[in-house]
Amino acid sequence: MLPRLRRIVLDVDEADSFRAALEIIVQGVCEALGTEVASIYLRDPQRSAFVFAATEGLNTELVGRFAMPEDDGLIGLVARRAEPINLQDAMAHPAFHFVEAIGEEPFGAFLGVPIIHHRTVLGVLVVQQRAQRRFDEAEESFLVTLAAQVAAAINHARATGELRTVMGAASRQPDRILAGIAGSPGIAIGQAVVVSQVANLDAVPDRAIDDVDPELRLFDRAIEAVRGDIQRISEEFSGSLPPEELALFDAYLHMLDDSAIAGDVRRYIHQRQWAQGALRQVIREHLRRFESMEDSYLRERGSDVRDLGIRVLSYLQDIKTRRVHFPADTILVGDDVTPSLLANVPAERLKAIVSLRGSRNSHVSILARALGIPAVMGAVDLPLLRLDGERLIVDGNYGEVTLDPSPVRLAEYDLLLKEEEAFSQELEALREQPCITLDGQRVRLWVNIGLTGDISRSLDRGAEGIGLFRTEIPFMTQEQFPSEAEQRAVYRKHMEAFEPRPVTMRTLDIGGDKSLPYFPIHEENPFLGWRGIRVTLDHPEIFMVQVRAMLAANAGLDGVLRIMLPMVSSVHEIDEAKALVDRALREVNEEGATVKPPQLGVMIEVPAAVYQADLLAKRTDFLAVGSNDLTQYMLAVDRNNPRVAPLYQDLHPAVLNALREVGRAAHRQAKPVGICGELASTPTGAVLLMAMGYDVLSMNATHLPRIKWILQRISRTGGRRLLARVLKMQTAEEVHAFMLRELHGLGLSRALPRPVTELANGEPLSRTA
Ligand code: PEP
Ligand code: MG
């Protein structure tokens, strides 16, 4: 059964439309189970009904035209119970309801399984047979497995609007709104430019071309380059591999012939598909053939085809990168938008980011916030391949993307955009003002920095210091570890620009989702692995060079240098790092520079550090909470995984309690405490942290003026009252709703994200939490 299942799933993946996919499923099921009827009923929540959406064996003319009430018959029962119902004699069941209209006959055997996506029943997959027989366990498992696999396709169609067409409700087509995760706030309207990470075949979009010849030439060059590579590798191995293994390289070369892959790709290019899209199509077709083979050896050969495809694609992209056109209102869209993909777009043209992968705390979201552009992450249902050039609205406040918006929706968003722009201009006046609450509490607002261009952006917005210099970012753009002199120059530039303000340099924080191209780290659980201080203590040579560069960069300047250690989970790490910093200071001074001892601080990012915050504060000069990581480790939720994104809650009462404890511990030891996680840049987070007595809130420059505006309009006493209420709450949802209500009540609405209230057709928007 497994090959059949695999075959159906592969065919569904390849289907031209959602309707075709449903037909493939019902036909495939009938064949696999040797049954007379297979049908799919899809739930239409607006009509509280199940729509007869596809069938093999019943009346196909009524597909999309017939619906039955949600709680009716066996279909309704399967959905309500959310589990399979397997009956030998369906007609004897009290819930049985004979539906002659769709061609039902007195069927005996019935097996219905729910189609469930993320706990929601989307539909029911049913098989029926005249004879009275019980479907066996293997058949039931087959249907359950298939239903689970097609649930994602159905959900995708729901998101893209195709579902409505199939369900016959196409006449009143509303805007197609896809829900993702709010990665970076703000709104943008623009044109999608779909980019793919180098050589990601699955992310290559369709793109029509006018001129076939240049595309063919491009493809020929890529094929020639890959042939050259294979021949070279084959020669290199000729002495060390046996002839039967070397024959593999010949097989590769044959696959690239015109009689195989290359010929097929050329045919698609002649049909005006660009070379990359044509390659993706052909490789997929070949892969499908291999993957549906019964013989496991042959099936495995599919990976060779994929490998070849990736090689050709990487050459095509190499040749092509220079030619991508970025319009003035570019919305960068991709399967996995990474910081390096961002770097290809001229900053003034980049209006927003939409990524299928990633989440609110992925580094690309953090960069988007630093750049002040909206981002929607984890938009897993985006029809990526058909999106290039399409007009989009990106709502980074609510994590929504509208595809091809209606004029009414465009007008509404235009209005919001104008309001936001006017508010931002007003905020410019706050630049020189200190951040003091209504009752005189001073809060330091510093910036998180790392990108080029951050310096002027930060100073323009009135930053009073650098609270987090992510030193790994300049490391990422190099081809090898930067030398001490190179590092010193980068650090000095920042210190001079901020002089006499304090500058907090974090030591190299790689690992997790931040790897350096020249220092790859491959681990099963990278976030629980070799990260931050663990890497640099294992490589004291890297640590020493960096710390020496930081110290030397500060020579002769008045601004305080603060060195901060990431991912600390034990006091030993502080002791070891401190010894290295002392040694570096001695060395630099012995070499003739006059450098003051830096302040040494520790990031609280791991639950263990929360419980040892007193000890850590005693050993260091300051504490700084990295709430992005602290949240992921306290709640055991990967900060990058969109599937668990709703569980990543930095307002979770457990996290808030931890933050309060860290603040208290630092102050018990008479040490300052700050926060440099993203929580500090949210209105709710900033107010609660101010109330907890945090001395420094460090955030991206974009949000700094807005946070200042809010804190200037609230008192510490008022904030404490809110905090006291919040600390008694049980869930993040409660905290969020309460704080939003209170902040609106305090007249701070202008600084809070405003929703578009209604759709063009009058349907209210459904918001994800
Ligand atoms: C954090 O974890 O909160 C933090 C500031 O560090 P990063 O986001 O770079 O991991
Ligand atoms: Mg961190």
Side-chain angles (χ1 to χ4, degrees):
M1 286 251 186
L2 193 60
R4 281 179 190 269
L5 187 74
R6 201 167 26 232
R7 176 86 210 205
I8 298 175
V9 173
L10 286 170
D11 287 348
V12 166
D13 268 359
E14 288 298 313
D16 287 341
S17 65
F18 179 56
R19 194 186 291 278
L22 293 182
E23 278 163 17
I24 290 167
I25 296 167
V26 289
Q27 282 160 13
V29 168
C30 267
E31 260 174 48
L33 301 192
T35 180
E36 286 150 358
V37 175
S39 314
I40 293 175
Y41 298 82
L42 294 178
R43 202 167 148 254
D44 182 347
Q46 280 167 358
R47 288 197 267 169
S48 299
F50 278 101
V51 176
F52 181 54
T55 189
E56 178 74 10
L58 298 183
N59 186 354
T60 49
E61 292 200 348
L62 282 182
V63 161
R65 298 201 191 147
F66 174 81
M68 62 179 102
E70 206 167 49
D71 42 13
D72 223 28
L74 288 170
I75 307 295
L77 191 63
V78 173
R80 273 197 309 285
R81 287 205 189 154
E83 60 184 19
I85 293 185
N86 188 351
L87 302 171
Q88 185 169 345
D89 181 8
M91 287 188 293
H93 193 283
F96 178 76
H97 180 163
F98 184 53
V99 192
E100 202 172 358
I102 55 173
E104 273 197 329
E105 295 175 29
F107 290 115
F110 172 100
L111 169 58
V113 301
I115 302 170
I116 301 180
H117 186 75
H118 284 307
R119 306 183 189 189
T120 306
V121 176
L122 302 180
V124 177
L125 174 56
V126 176
V127 290
Q128 291 169 285
Q129 200 161 341
R130 261 187 217 97
Q132 289 190 7
R133 68 125 160 159
R134 201 176 159 79
F135 289 96
D136 66 25
E137 275 184 20
E139 289 169 320
E140 190 173 318
S141 303
F142 172 85
L143 222 55
V144 169
T145 316
L146 183 64
Q149 300 232 25
V150 298
I154 294 173
N155 187 56
H156 181 73
R158 182 170 68 156
T160 58
E162 276 186 284
L163 192 57
R164 303 196 130 259
T165 321
V166 167
M167 299 211 294
S171 53
R172 213 182 50 150
Q173 184 77 18
D175 279 303
R176 286 187 296 158
I177 303 161
L178 298 193
I181 296 157
S184 169
I187 292 163
I189 301 171
Q191 193 181 327
V193 178
V194 180
V195 289
S196 52
Q197 247 192 331
V198 178
N200 181 353
L201 264 176
D202 297 326
V204 172
D206 284 334
R207 196 171 284 169
I209 47 164
D210 295 329
D211 217 350
V212 167
D213 288 339
E215 210 61 22
L216 284 172
R217 281 198 295 278
L218 196 70
F219 179 64
D220 286 340
R221 273 164 59 199
I223 289 284
E224 271 326 295
V226 175
R227 282 183 172 285
D229 283 353
I230 295 173
Q231 272 150 357
R232 221 173 7 261
I233 300 169
S234 167
E235 279 157 26
E236 271 171 31
F237 282 110
S238 60
S240 54
L241 280 183
E244 60 273 21
E245 299 287 343
L246 282 174
L248 182 69
F249 295 110
D250 288 333
Y252 274 14
L253 291 173
H254 285 313
M255 282 191 221
L256 292 175
D257 281 350
D258 266 355
S259 58
I261 292 175
D264 292 345
V265 173
R266 279 205 187 85
R267 251 192 308 284
Y268 280 120
I269 296 178
H270 278 294
Q271 291 167 19
R272 306 205 173 273
Q273 172 71 287
W274 70 322
Q276 294 187 31
L279 179 73
R280 185 203 73 229
Q281 256 167 287
V282 170
I283 296 293
R284 274 201 181 174
E285 286 165 10
H286 282 254
L287 268 180
R288 218 165 48 137
R289 239 169 275 148
F290 276 102
E291 286 174 8
S292 60
M293 286 177 181
E294 304 276 337
D295 182 298
S296 64
Y297 174 80
L298 287 176
R299 217 167 41 231
E300 288 306 313
R301 301 285 57 79
S303 63
D304 298 339
V305 174
R306 172 172 280 278
D307 186 48
L308 265 188
I310 290 171
R311 281 172 184 275
V312 179
L313 182 66
S314 64
Y315 275 105
L316 282 176
Q317 290 182 331
D318 214 33
I319 303 167
K320 218 40 196 190
T321 347
R322 289 180 295 268
R323 299 199 208 152
V324 177
H325 170 65
F326 295 106
D329 57 353
T330 293
I331 293 180
L332 197 67
V333 182
D335 174 56
D336 189 7
V337 178
T338 57
S340 59
L341 283 174
L342 267 194
N344 292 329
V345 193
E348 69 286 359
R349 290 173 177 256
L350 182 62
K351 298 294 174 251
I353 296 170
V354 180
S355 179
L356 271 65
R357 287 176 208 239
S359 191
R360 190 160 77 88
N361 289 290
S362 302
H363 280 91
V364 82
S365 299
I366 292 175
L367 294 185
R369 271 168 264 164
L371 292 167
I373 56 170
V376 172
M377 308 295 290
V380 286
D381 292 314
L382 211 66
L384 195 62
L385 307 187
R386 281 174 274 142
L387 218 58
D388 201 51
E390 194 162 327
R391 197 158 187 70
L392 304 180
I393 297 175
V394 179
D395 184 337
N397 300 326
Y398 289 94
E400 286 170 351
V401 182
T402 311
L403 276 59
D404 192 15
S406 62
V408 180
R409 194 163 174 86
L410 270 175
E412 281 177 325
Y413 268 98
D414 241 357
L415 197 68
L416 276 187
L417 209 54
K418 289 203 176 83
E419 281 177 17
E420 281 210 356
E421 276 163 12
F423 187 46
S424 298
Q425 270 171 15
E426 228 176 278
L427 291 175
E428 283 174 19
L430 302 188
R431 184 184 141 158
E432 303 298 336
Q433 295 177 12
C435 179
I436 302 177
T437 61
L438 288 176
D439 50 357
Q441 172 77 22
R442 178 91 165 83
V443 185
R444 320 259 156 202
L445 300 186
W446 294 1
V447 276
N448 298 344
I449 220 165
L451 287 177
T452 45
D454 271 350
I455 297 180
S456 54
R457 225 184 344 256
S458 303
L459 293 172
D460 281 353
R461 288 176 176 75
E464 298 169 289
I466 296 181
L468 165 63
F469 188 129
R470 288 190 165 93
T471 57
E472 54 283 354
I473 295 180
F475 275 63
M476 281 175 187
T477 52
Q478 303 281 318
E479 285 175 0
Q480 56 191 16
F481 282 108
S483 68
E484 188 175 323
E486 283 169 329
Q487 291 187 48
R488 192 172 57 234
V490 175
Y491 305 158
R492 176 97 186 167
K493 198 165 119 196
H494 286 78
M495 290 173 192
E496 280 176 345
F498 273 79
E499 169 84 343
R501 303 171 182 90
V503 171
T504 314
M505 308 287 301
R506 176 169 73 184
T507 59
L508 193 63
D509 186 21
I510 52 172
D513 64 340
K514 289 179 286 192
S515 67
L516 303 174
Y518 46 89
F519 191 71
I521 301 172
H522 297 294
E523 291 179 313
E524 283 271 309
N525 279 313
F527 277 112
L528 297 183
W530 207 40
R531 269 198 86 181
I533 190 85
R534 301 171 181 181
V535 178
T536 45
L537 286 181
D538 285 349
H539 278 280
E541 76 289 10
I542 297 174
F543 189 81
M544 283 296 283
V545 166
Q546 185 173 40
V547 172
R548 284 170 50 97
M550 290 173 181
L551 293 168
N554 197 237
L557 296 180
D558 288 334
V560 175
L561 168 63
R562 305 164 100 227
I563 296 182
M564 182 162 82
L565 309 169
M567 191 65 192
V568 167
S569 56
S570 145
V571 290
H572 296 302
E573 290 162 337
I574 305 280
D575 296 342
E576 283 177 53
K578 205 168 172 185
L580 291 172
V581 172
D582 288 346
R583 200 175 97 204
L585 182 67
R586 267 197 315 277
E587 286 174 11
V588 174
N589 277 325
E590 276 163 19
E591 285 160 20
T594 317
V595 180
K596 297 183 297 281
Q599 292 187 353
L600 187 68
V602 56
M603 289 189 78
I604 307 292
E605 302 192 280
V606 178
V610 174
Y611 289 99
Q612 292 197 304
D614 273 289
L615 280 179
L616 296 171
K618 225 180 245 172
R619 279 173 153 81
T620 52
D621 300 306
F622 64 93
L623 299 185
V625 180
S627 56
N628 306 337
D629 277 315
L630 186 60
T631 306
Q632 85 161 336
Y633 292 126
M634 284 199 65
L635 303 181
V637 175
D638 180 345
R639 63 194 262 186
N640 277 335
N641 182 346
R643 188 175 289 173
V644 288
L647 299 177
Y648 183 99
Q649 300 174 322
D650 46 14
L651 293 178
H652 191 293
V655 177
L656 294 177
N657 271 295
L659 288 168
R660 189 176 62 146
E661 282 316 307
V662 173
R664 287 179 162 180
H667 290 157
R668 270 195 298 271
Q669 305 303 327
K671 302 287 166 65
V673 60
I675 177 161
C676 51
E678 295 299 307
L679 182 63
S681 65
T682 65
T684 296
V687 168
L688 294 177
L689 289 159
M690 174 276 289
M692 289 178 198
Y694 273 66
D695 306 286
V696 176
L697 306 187
S698 189
M699 64 197 74
N700 59 72
T702 312
H703 290 140
L704 193 147
R706 195 173 289 245
I707 295 300
K708 190 188 279 185
W709 187 89
I710 291 176
L711 294 180
Q712 285 177 333
R713 281 163 180 74
I714 190 166
S715 67
R716 171 98 195 267
T717 325
R720 277 181 161 166
R721 265 199 299 272
L722 297 180
L723 177 65
R725 298 269 303 272
V726 159
L727 288 174
K728 292 202 187 92
M729 292 178 180
Q730 298 182 7
T731 64
E733 288 79 5
E734 235 180 303
V735 176
H736 180 69
F738 168 75
M739 285 300 291
L740 219 56
R741 222 174 28 244
E742 291 294 320
L743 295 181
H744 277 296
L746 287 166
L748 303 175
S749 309
R750 290 186 72 199
L752 307 173
R754 278 241 284 114
V756 170
T757 48
E758 298 237 300
L759 273 181
N761 60 12
E763 287 174 28
L765 277 183
S766 61
R767 300 280 188 205
T768 46

Coordinates of all heavy atoms in Angstrom, one line a residue, residues 376-428:
V376 N 6.3 39.4 7.1 CA 5.4 38.3 7.5 C 6.2 37.0 7.3 O 6.7 36.7 6.2 CB 4.1 38.3 6.7 CG1 3.3 37.0 7.0 CG2 3.3 39.5 7.0
M377 N 6.3 36.2 8.4 CA 7.0 35.0 8.3 C 6.1 33.8 8.4 O 4.9 33.9 8.8 CB 8.0 34.9 9.5 CG 8.9 36.1 9.7 SD 10.0 36.4 8.3 CE 11.1 35.0 8.6
G378 N 6.6 32.6 8.1 CA 5.9 31.4 8.3 C 4.6 31.4 7.5 O 3.6 30.8 7.9
A379 N 4.6 32.1 6.3 CA 3.4 32.1 5.5 C 3.4 30.9 4.6 O 3.5 30.9 3.4 CB 3.4 33.4 4.6
V380 N 3.2 29.7 5.3 CA 3.4 28.4 4.7 C 2.5 28.1 3.5 O 2.8 27.3 2.6 CB 3.3 27.3 5.7 CG1 4.5 27.2 6.6 CG2 2.1 27.4 6.5
D381 N 1.4 28.8 3.4 CA 0.4 28.5 2.4 C 0.5 29.4 1.1 O -0.3 29.3 0.2 CB -1.0 28.6 2.9 CG -1.3 27.5 3.9 OD1 -0.9 26.4 3.6 OD2 -1.8 27.8 5.0
L382 N 1.5 30.2 1.1 CA 1.7 31.2 0.0 C 1.9 30.4 -1.3 O 2.8 29.5 -1.3 CB 2.9 32.0 0.3 CG 2.9 33.5 -0.2 CD1 1.8 34.2 0.5 CD2 4.2 34.1 0.0
P383 N 1.2 30.7 -2.3 CA 1.4 29.9 -3.6 C 2.7 30.5 -4.3 O 2.6 31.2 -5.3 CB 0.2 30.2 -4.4 CG -0.4 31.5 -3.9 CD 0.1 31.6 -2.4
L384 N 3.8 30.2 -3.7 CA 5.1 30.8 -4.1 C 5.4 30.8 -5.6 O 5.8 31.8 -6.2 CB 6.2 30.1 -3.3 CG 7.5 30.8 -3.3 CD1 7.4 32.1 -2.5 CD2 8.5 29.9 -2.6
L385 N 5.1 29.7 -6.2 CA 5.5 29.5 -7.6 C 4.7 30.4 -8.5 O 5.1 30.7 -9.7 CB 5.3 28.1 -8.0 CG 6.0 27.1 -7.1 CD1 6.0 25.7 -7.7 CD2 7.5 27.5 -6.9
R386 N 3.5 30.9 -8.1 CA 2.7 31.7 -9.0 C 2.6 33.2 -8.5 O 1.7 33.9 -8.9 CB 1.3 31.1 -9.0 CG 1.2 29.9 -9.9 CD -0.2 29.3 -9.8 NE -0.3 28.4 -8.7 CZ -1.3 28.3 -7.9 NH1 -2.4 29.0 -8.1 NH2 -1.3 27.4 -6.9
L387 N 3.6 33.6 -7.8 CA 3.4 34.9 -7.1 C 4.3 36.0 -7.7 O 4.0 37.2 -7.4 CB 3.8 34.7 -5.6 CG 3.0 35.5 -4.6 CD1 1.5 35.1 -4.8 CD2 3.4 35.2 -3.2
D388 N 5.3 35.6 -8.5 CA 6.2 36.6 -9.0 C 5.5 37.7 -9.7 O 4.7 37.5 -10.6 CB 7.3 35.9 -9.9 CG 8.5 36.8 -10.0 OD1 9.0 37.2 -8.9 OD2 8.9 37.0 -11.1
G389 N 5.8 39.0 -9.4 CA 5.2 40.1 -10.1 C 3.8 40.5 -9.6 O 3.2 41.5 -10.0
E390 N 3.2 39.7 -8.7 CA 1.8 40.0 -8.2 C 1.8 41.1 -7.2 O 2.8 41.3 -6.4 CB 1.2 38.7 -7.6 CG -0.3 38.9 -7.4 CD -1.0 37.6 -7.3 OE1 -0.6 36.5 -7.9 OE2 -2.0 37.6 -6.6
R391 N 0.7 41.9 -7.2 CA 0.6 42.9 -6.2 C 0.2 42.4 -4.8 O -0.7 41.5 -4.7 CB -0.5 43.9 -6.7 CG -0.5 45.2 -6.0 CD -1.2 46.2 -6.9 NE -1.0 47.6 -6.3 CZ 0.2 48.2 -6.3 NH1 1.2 47.7 -6.8 NH2 0.3 49.4 -5.7
L392 N 0.8 42.8 -3.8 CA 0.6 42.3 -2.4 C 0.4 43.4 -1.4 O 1.0 44.5 -1.6 CB 1.7 41.4 -1.9 CG 2.2 40.3 -2.7 CD1 3.4 39.6 -2.0 CD2 1.1 39.3 -3.0
I393 N -0.4 43.2 -0.4 CA -0.4 44.0 0.8 C 0.3 43.2 1.9 O -0.2 42.0 2.1 CB -1.8 44.5 1.2 CG1 -2.5 45.3 0.2 CG2 -1.7 45.2 2.6 CD1 -3.9 45.7 0.5
V394 N 1.3 43.7 2.5 CA 1.9 43.0 3.6 C 1.5 43.7 4.9 O 1.9 44.9 5.1 CB 3.4 42.9 3.4 CG1 4.1 42.2 4.6 CG2 3.8 42.2 2.1
D395 N 0.9 43.0 5.8 CA 0.5 43.6 7.1 C 1.3 42.9 8.2 O 1.0 41.8 8.6 CB -1.0 43.4 7.3 CG -1.5 44.1 8.6 OD1 -0.6 44.3 9.5 OD2 -2.7 44.4 8.7
G396 N 2.4 43.6 8.5 CA 3.3 43.0 9.5 C 2.8 43.2 10.9 O 3.4 42.6 11.8
N397 N 1.8 44.0 11.1 CA 1.2 44.1 12.4 C 0.4 42.8 12.8 O 0.4 42.4 14.0 CB 0.3 45.3 12.5 CG 1.0 46.6 12.2 OD1 2.2 46.7 12.5 ND2 0.3 47.5 11.6
Y398 N -0.3 42.3 11.8 CA -1.1 41.1 12.1 C -0.6 39.9 11.4 O -1.3 38.8 11.5 CB -2.6 41.4 11.7 CG -3.2 42.4 12.7 CD1 -3.2 43.8 12.4 CD2 -3.7 42.0 13.9 CE1 -3.7 44.7 13.3 CE2 -4.2 42.9 14.8 CZ -4.2 44.2 14.5 OH -4.7 45.1 15.4
G399 N 0.5 40.0 10.7 CA 1.0 38.8 10.0 C 0.1 38.3 8.9 O -0.2 37.1 8.8
E400 N -0.3 39.2 8.0 CA -1.2 38.8 6.9 C -0.7 39.3 5.6 O -0.1 40.4 5.5 CB -2.6 39.3 7.2 CG -3.3 38.6 8.2 CD -4.6 39.3 8.6 OE1 -4.9 40.4 8.2 OE2 -5.4 38.7 9.4
V401 N -0.9 38.5 4.6 CA -0.6 39.0 3.2 C -1.8 38.9 2.4 O -2.5 37.9 2.3 CB 0.5 38.0 2.6 CG1 0.9 38.5 1.2 CG2 1.7 37.9 3.5
T402 N -2.2 40.0 1.7 CA -3.3 40.0 0.8 C -2.8 39.9 -0.6 O -2.0 40.6 -1.0 CB -4.2 41.3 0.9 OG1 -4.4 41.5 2.3 CG2 -5.5 41.2 0.2
L403 N -3.3 38.9 -1.3 CA -2.9 38.6 -2.7 C -3.8 39.4 -3.6 O -5.0 39.2 -3.5 CB -2.9 37.1 -3.0 CG -1.8 36.3 -2.6 CD1 -1.5 36.3 -1.2 CD2 -2.0 34.8 -3.0
D404 N -3.2 40.1 -4.6 CA -4.0 40.8 -5.6 C -5.2 41.5 -5.0 O -6.4 41.1 -5.2 CB -4.5 39.7 -6.6 CG -5.1 40.4 -7.8 OD1 -4.9 41.6 -8.0 OD2 -5.8 39.7 -8.6
P405 N -5.0 42.5 -4.1 CA -6.1 43.1 -3.3 C -7.1 43.8 -4.1 O -6.8 44.4 -5.2 CB -5.3 44.0 -2.4 CG -4.0 44.3 -3.0 CD -3.7 43.1 -3.9
S406 N -8.3 43.8 -3.6 CA -9.4 44.6 -4.2 C -9.2 46.1 -4.0 O -8.5 46.5 -3.1 CB -10.7 44.2 -3.6 OG -10.7 44.5 -2.2
P407 N -9.8 46.9 -4.9 CA -9.6 48.4 -4.7 C -10.0 48.9 -3.3 O -9.3 49.7 -2.7 CB -10.5 49.0 -5.8 CG -10.7 47.9 -6.8 CD -10.6 46.6 -6.0
V408 N -11.1 48.3 -2.8 CA -11.5 48.8 -1.5 C -10.5 48.5 -0.4 O -10.1 49.3 0.5 CB -12.9 48.1 -1.1 CG1 -13.3 48.6 0.3 CG2 -13.9 48.4 -2.1
R409 N -9.9 47.3 -0.4 CA -8.9 46.9 0.6 C -7.7 47.8 0.4 O -7.1 48.2 1.4 CB -8.6 45.4 0.4 CG -7.8 44.9 1.7 CD -7.9 43.4 1.7 NE -7.0 42.9 2.8 CZ -7.4 42.8 4.1 NH1 -8.6 43.1 4.4 NH2 -6.6 42.3 5.0
L410 N -7.3 48.0 -0.9 CA -6.1 48.8 -1.1 C -6.3 50.2 -0.5 O -5.4 50.8 0.1 CB -5.9 49.0 -2.6 CG -5.0 48.0 -3.3 CD1 -5.0 48.2 -4.8 CD2 -3.6 48.1 -2.7
A411 N -7.5 50.7 -0.7 CA -7.8 52.1 -0.2 C -7.7 52.1 1.3 O -7.2 53.1 1.9 CB -9.2 52.5 -0.6
E412 N -8.2 51.1 2.0 CA -8.2 51.0 3.4 C -6.7 51.0 3.9 O -6.4 51.7 4.9 CB -8.9 49.8 4.0 CG -10.4 49.9 4.0 CD -11.1 48.7 4.4 OE1 -10.6 47.6 4.1 OE2 -12.1 48.8 5.1
Y413 N -5.9 50.2 3.3 CA -4.5 50.1 3.7 C -3.8 51.4 3.4 O -2.9 51.8 4.1 CB -3.9 48.9 3.1 CG -4.0 47.7 4.0 CD1 -5.0 46.7 3.8 CD2 -3.1 47.5 5.1 CE1 -5.1 45.7 4.7 CE2 -3.2 46.5 5.9 CZ -4.2 45.5 5.7 OH -4.3 44.5 6.6
D414 N -4.1 52.0 2.3 CA -3.5 53.3 1.9 C -3.7 54.3 3.0 O -2.8 55.0 3.4 CB -4.2 53.8 0.7 CG -3.2 54.0 -0.5 OD1 -2.0 53.7 -0.2 OD2 -3.6 54.3 -1.6
L415 N -4.9 54.3 3.6 CA -5.2 55.2 4.6 C -4.4 54.9 5.9 O -3.8 55.9 6.5 CB -6.7 55.1 5.0 CG -7.3 56.2 5.8 CD1 -7.4 57.4 4.9 CD2 -8.8 55.8 6.2
L416 N -4.3 53.7 6.3 CA -3.5 53.3 7.4 C -2.0 53.7 7.2 O -1.4 54.2 8.2 CB -3.5 51.8 7.6 CG -4.7 51.2 8.4 CD1 -4.5 49.7 8.6 CD2 -4.9 51.9 9.7
L417 N -1.6 53.5 6.0 CA -0.2 53.8 5.7 C 0.1 55.3 5.9 O 1.1 55.7 6.5 CB 0.1 53.4 4.2 CG 1.5 53.0 3.8 CD1 2.0 51.9 4.7 CD2 1.4 52.5 2.4
K418 N -0.8 56.1 5.5 CA -0.7 57.5 5.6 C -0.7 57.9 7.1 O 0.1 58.8 7.5 CB -1.8 58.3 4.8 CG -1.6 58.1 3.3 CD -2.3 59.2 2.6 CE -2.0 59.1 1.1 NZ -2.8 58.1 0.4
E419 N -1.6 57.3 7.8 CA -1.6 57.6 9.3 C -0.3 57.3 9.9 O 0.2 58.1 10.7 CB -2.7 56.8 10.0 CG -4.1 57.4 9.8 CD -5.2 56.5 10.4 OE1 -4.8 55.7 11.3 OE2 -6.3 56.7 10.0
E420 N 0.3 56.1 9.6 CA 1.5 55.7 10.2 C 2.6 56.7 9.8 O 3.5 57.0 10.7 CB 1.9 54.3 9.7 CG 1.1 53.2 10.4 CD 1.9 51.9 10.5 OE1 3.0 51.8 10.0 OE2 1.4 51.0 11.2
E421 N 2.7 57.1 8.6 CA 3.7 58.0 8.1 C 3.6 59.3 8.9 O 4.7 59.9 9.3 CB 3.6 58.2 6.6 CG 4.3 57.1 5.9 CD 3.9 57.1 4.4 OE1 3.3 58.0 3.9 OE2 4.3 56.1 3.7
A422 N 2.4 59.8 9.1 CA 2.3 61.1 9.8 C 2.7 61.0 11.2 O 3.4 61.8 11.7 CB 0.8 61.5 9.7
F423 N 2.4 59.8 11.9 CA 2.8 59.6 13.2 C 4.4 59.6 13.3 O 5.0 60.2 14.2 CB 2.2 58.4 13.8 CG 2.4 58.1 15.3 CD1 2.3 59.2 16.2 CD2 2.8 56.9 15.7 CE1 2.5 59.0 17.5 CE2 3.0 56.7 17.1 CZ 2.8 57.7 18.0
S424 N 5.0 58.8 12.4 CA 6.4 58.7 12.4 C 7.1 60.1 12.3 O 8.1 60.4 13.0 CB 6.9 57.9 11.3 OG 6.4 56.6 11.4
Q425 N 6.5 60.9 11.5 CA 7.1 62.3 11.3 C 7.0 63.1 12.6 O 8.0 63.7 13.0 CB 6.4 63.0 10.2 CG 7.1 62.8 8.9 CD 6.3 63.3 7.7 OE1 5.4 64.1 7.9 NE2 6.7 62.8 6.5
E426 N 5.9 62.9 13.3 CA 5.7 63.6 14.6 C 6.7 63.1 15.6 O 7.3 63.9 16.4 CB 4.3 63.2 15.1 CG 3.5 64.4 15.5 CD 2.1 63.9 15.9 OE1 1.3 63.7 15.0 OE2 1.9 63.7 17.1
L427 N 7.0 61.9 15.6 CA 8.0 61.3 16.5 C 9.4 61.8 16.4 O 10.2 61.8 17.3 CB 8.0 59.8 16.4 CG 6.7 59.0 16.8 CD1 6.8 57.5 16.6 CD2 6.4 59.2 18.3
E428 N 9.7 62.3 15.2 CA 11.0 62.9 15.0 C 11.4 64.0 16.0 O 12.5 64.1 16.4 CB 11.2 63.4 13.6 CG 11.4 62.2 12.6 CD 11.4 62.7 11.2 OE1 11.6 63.9 10.9 OE2 11.2 61.9 10.3

